[in-house]
Amino acid sequence: MRRQKCTAHPGPNKLPIIYRQMIPADSPFIYSTWLKSYRQMPYAASMSNDTFFHHHKQVVEKILAKPETSVTIICEDTDPDHIYGYSVVETYGDASIIHYTYIKHAYRKLGLAKALLKTLIPLLGSKLTFVTHESRHHQAFKSKFALEYNPYII
């Protein structure tokens, strides 16, 4: 079956979670949630759906194709197919790039995004970290972890 190396981690609020790497079967979920949730951002408001989805899908494809990019899934510990969310992170020299982090609505406000990012970027807040897709949720992390928005390093 499709088992990947997983790391057990007691989640915030005692939610039993594991982290695993993205597998090909996760692609439709990653593309759908990234594109649909990012479509709601103010910068995309004046674009047609056709324009946004066509062009931004190409942006996501480019990011995911980079060898330095990793997609880490946070999921239920007993069922790795029950995905809570994910983060797309790239190593960029001595810095890190957070391209996108998504947590399903039902699991937000439980600290999952923070736990995921702190696991992926252990020095988060003490070393330079860029964000290429800013969202309302990244605003909360921006000052706390010294994140710098830079959409041009895609």
Side-chain angles (χ1 to χ4, degrees):
M1 186 80 183
R2 57 181 212 104
R3 292 284 175 170
Q4 297 289 323
K5 183 177 179 182
C6 297
T7 304
H9 179 78
N13 300 316
K14 308 253 188 256
L15 187 65
I17 61 171
I18 57 173
Y19 302 110
R20 66 173 175 80
Q21 292 302 299
M22 176 184 159
I23 58 172
D26 298 326
S27 289
F29 176 77
I30 301 296
Y31 278 96
S32 174
T33 54
W34 188 336
L35 292 171
K36 286 181 181 177
S37 63
Y38 202 63
R39 175 67 175 112
Q40 305 306 311
M41 295 301 105
Y43 98 95
S46 62
M47 286 184 232
S48 70
N49 281 336
D50 290 341
T51 298
F52 173 81
F53 286 111
H54 173 76
H55 292 287
H56 212 75
K57 182 178 181 192
Q58 293 174 356
V59 170
V60 173
E61 286 171 346
K62 179 180 175 184
I63 291 168
L64 295 177
K66 291 180 174 185
E68 303 86 9
T69 297
S70 67
V71 180
T72 302
I73 306 289
I74 188 168
C75 53
E76 185 178 319
D77 69 339
T78 58
D79 182 5
D81 292 327
H82 185 172
I83 297 172
Y84 298 137
Y86 60 88
S87 191
V88 180
V89 175
E90 178 184 349
T91 303
Y92 186 72
D94 290 338
S96 296
I97 303 170
I98 302 168
H99 288 293
Y100 204 67
T101 300
Y102 175 83
I103 302 294
K104 286 181 178 177
H105 195 277
Y107 302 104
R108 293 182 185 161
K109 304 280 187 195
L110 298 176
L112 294 177
K114 181 178 178 181
L116 179 58
L117 291 173
K118 282 189 145 290
T119 298
L120 296 175
I121 308 170
L123 299 175
L124 189 62
S126 64
K127 74 175 201 174
L128 186 57
T129 304
F130 296 103
V131 175
T132 60
H133 287 73
E134 195 170 45
S135 70
R136 292 179 298 274
H137 307 292
H138 280 128
Q139 290 292 343
F141 288 106
K142 189 174 183 175
S143 59
K144 187 181 241 183
F145 295 114
L147 304 177
E148 182 178 330
Y149 176 58
N150 185 343
Y152 305 110
I153 55 175
I154 293 176

